[in-house]
Amino acid sequence: MKFKIIGRRYDVTDKIKDYVEKKLGKLDKFFKDESEARVVIGTIKDNDYIEATIYSTGMMYRAEASDREILAAIDKIVDVIERQIRKNKTRLEKKIKRDATLDNMLLSGSEYTGGEETKEFEIVKTKRFTVKPMSSEEAILQMNLLGHTFFVFKNQETDEMNIVYKRKDGKYAIIESIE
């Protein structure tokens, strides 16, 4: 597993890096290919927090935890991600096509350069990720794993970009593109 460990208002020591790599490295047994882990460690008020996202074969597992001690927060996050993996492993194995290749298409929130510049629309973050074909059910599963309220995916039936989102009544809806 490849690690990217970032400290936000926090001095990440070698001891902490080694502990993160040791604990999250144990999850590598669940992945068939080279997975990547992005870990952000920081402090808010009197608590240390950690956010971890693991990317593998187009799947993302994400968790957050905080505690007075960073080592305890790391243990919590490993438990959460392992629970996510175990809970969905069987279901995901049925859904993921083993020999499917990832699309090279990237979604980008690149900055708009045309028209008048205004300060009303400030883009504070851009995310890029590989989009793979999946069913709407798998997209809902991914959205829930990430803890988000929406998820962009390429519908494997129509080969179109879709968005699935969670409604206020707890049900799910899909936005389909028309050309």
Side-chain angles (χ1 to χ4, degrees), residues 39 56 60 91 116 130 136 139 151 163 167:
V39 180
S56 176
M60 293 178 272
R91 191 172 185 187
E116 297 179 13
T130 304
S136 55
F151 187 80
I163 300 170
R167 297 165 32 109

Side-chain angles (χ1 to χ4, degrees), residues 102-133:
L102 296 175
D103 278 352
N104 290 330
M105 180 190 277
L106 294 177
L107 292 179
S108 71
S110 58
E111 194 172 334
Y112 176 72
T113 56
E116 297 179 13
E117 289 188 17
T118 77
K119 300 230 176 194
E120 292 177 25
F121 303 108
E122 182 182 354
I123 298 172
V124 295
K125 189 173 186 177
T126 300
K127 287 190 175 185
R128 292 176 183 258
F129 59 95
T130 304
V131 179
K132 72 176 195 104

